[in-house]
Amino acid sequence: MTEIYEAIKRAAIRIRFAIENDETGYSHNQNATGDVQLKLDIKSDLIIEEEFAKVLSVKEIASEEKQHTETIYENGRYLIGYDPLDGSSLVDVDLSVGSIFGIYEEDYSGKNLKSAVYVVYGPRVEMVIANEEEVALYRLDAKHHFHFIQTIELDPKGRLNAPGGTQKHWYPHHKEMIDALFQEGYRLRYSGGMVPDLHQILLKGGGLFSYPGTSDNPAGKLRMVFEVFPFAYVFEKAGGEAIDGKRRLLDLAPSHIHDTTPCFFGSKAEISKVKESYADE
Ligand code: AFP
């Protein structure tokens, strides 16, 4: 597992350089789900593939930017599902973006996730590694070393609210629940990039990030294997919870590598409000 973390660190340093120096425009290509790819999406994907190609324990990789999985080493042990540059459309407006990695064994179901890592490319480059032992925050220094900052633990109840999804298509019970949090004094924190939004909730004591199913998109937008399962793992290991409204996200399994799901990540107090709100759904 350590050599996989080292490969992610090398990739993060190269992606940071690309974000600062490369073109941010759109390419002529479309990704697996029909989104026009940004040149930085393609470059970040290539960088990650090159770094994992040096790691013998990597059996297979699955990228949000590719239709199919790719075998790296037949005798490898781990499958890695990743989003090379999540929120990439925010780079040209200079907002924080991130890379997300889920490290699986046997298949890409939530129960077979063994570790999760994400990188935030913001004013600083920070990396969070979650595994059986802990959820740990690292920061990149001027010598290109990631040094340990702290472990991350969520409070039982938070004060931040990051509500995703097109509001005019929210189901009434969802709107009621989100409005009630604001009435209770929760602060709105939503940038359109799930990595910095969830990072803020993790580091500032807790709250709720939600990207629900909506009347125009009941299956939600965020992808199980590349985005949702890795953050569900991080939130659970940090003492929070992650559900699809009713079920524990890590109990789910995709039937297709690009499957999406409604998702709610938060401290225990906020997730119990979501369960109440979705109980009759
Ligand atoms: P992009 O990668 O297309 O910018 O989408 C970012 C994202 O996957 C996730 O990071 C955000 O939380 C969510 O989509 C934003 O979606 P909305 O634009 O519908 O709010």
Side-chain angles (χ1 to χ4, degrees), residues 35 64 83 85-90 164-166 190 192-195 197 209 211 221-223 227:
D35 307 323
E64 183 185 275
D83 183 347
L85 198 60
D86 182 77
S88 52
S89 61
L90 300 173
T166 310
Y190 189 80
M194 75 183 290
V195 177
D197 290 344
F209 175 98
Y211 207 106
K221 173 186 181 182
L222 303 179
R223 294 163 179 108
E227 299 167 314

Side-chain angles (χ1 to χ4, degrees), residues 49-89:
E49 203 178 325
E50 286 170 359
E51 294 301 338
F52 282 146
K54 304 170 186 168
V55 182
L56 296 179
S57 62
V58 175
K59 181 182 181 70
E60 185 181 281
I61 57 174
S63 167
E64 183 185 275
E65 295 301 331
K66 289 201 179 71
Q67 182 72 28
H68 304 294
T69 61
E70 279 179 33
T71 302
I72 303 296
Y73 292 101
E74 281 293 342
N75 302 325
R77 175 174 173 186
Y78 297 108
L79 316 177
I80 306 185
Y82 63 92
D83 183 347
L85 198 60
D86 182 77
S88 52
S89 61

Side-chain angles (χ1 to χ4, degrees), residues 115-246:
S115 179
V117 179
Y118 70 85
V119 182
V120 191
Y121 309 99
R124 302 179 291 199
V125 176
E126 294 189 339
M127 174 185 290
V128 170
I129 299 178
N131 50 35
E132 279 306 319
E133 283 76 47
E134 62 182 5
V135 179
L137 171 68
Y138 299 83
R139 189 172 299 145
L140 187 66
D141 65 21
K143 297 196 188 77
H144 281 183
H145 293 132
F146 280 94
H147 59 270
F148 174 76
I149 302 291
Q150 63 177 77
T151 56
I152 298 176
E153 264 181 64
L154 279 164
D155 295 341
K157 185 177 186 312
R159 51 193 170 77
L160 302 180
N161 189 7
T166 310
Q167 298 199 14
K168 75 174 185 177
H169 297 305
W170 282 354
Y171 297 119
H173 64 275
H174 179 78
K175 179 172 176 13
E176 205 180 302
M177 185 261 294
I178 296 293
D179 290 349
L181 287 173
F182 285 127
Q183 286 313 311
E184 213 184 305
Y186 280 71
R187 316 291 286 270
L188 173 62
R189 291 289 184 279
Y190 189 80
S191 72
M194 75 183 290
V195 177
D197 290 344
L198 288 160
H199 192 58
Q200 176 163 203
I201 289 173
L202 282 162
L203 291 185
K204 294 209 172 153
L208 178 70
F209 175 98
S210 53
Y211 207 106
T214 50
S215 54
D216 67 326
N217 192 1
K221 173 186 181 182
L222 303 179
R223 294 163 179 108
M224 290 183 188
V225 171
F226 317 114
E227 299 167 314
V228 171
F229 290 162
F231 270 108
Y233 187 94
V234 172
F235 266 70
E236 286 198 3
K237 294 296 177 199
E241 288 183 56
I243 62 172
D244 69 353
K246 288 185 173 169

Side-chain angles (χ1 to χ4, degrees), residues 2-15 43-58 61 72-73 80 82 101 121:
T2 309
E3 69 279 3
I4 291 174
Y5 297 155
E6 291 308 312
I8 293 173
K9 289 177 183 174
R10 293 192 303 270
I13 292 165
R14 293 177 59 194
I15 291 172
K43 180 72 176 282
S44 306
D45 196 26
L46 191 62
I47 288 170
I48 292 169
E49 203 178 325
E50 286 170 359
E51 294 301 338
F52 282 146
K54 304 170 186 168
V55 182
L56 296 179
S57 62
V58 175
I61 57 174
I72 303 296
Y73 292 101
I80 306 185
Y82 63 92
F101 303 85
Y121 309 99

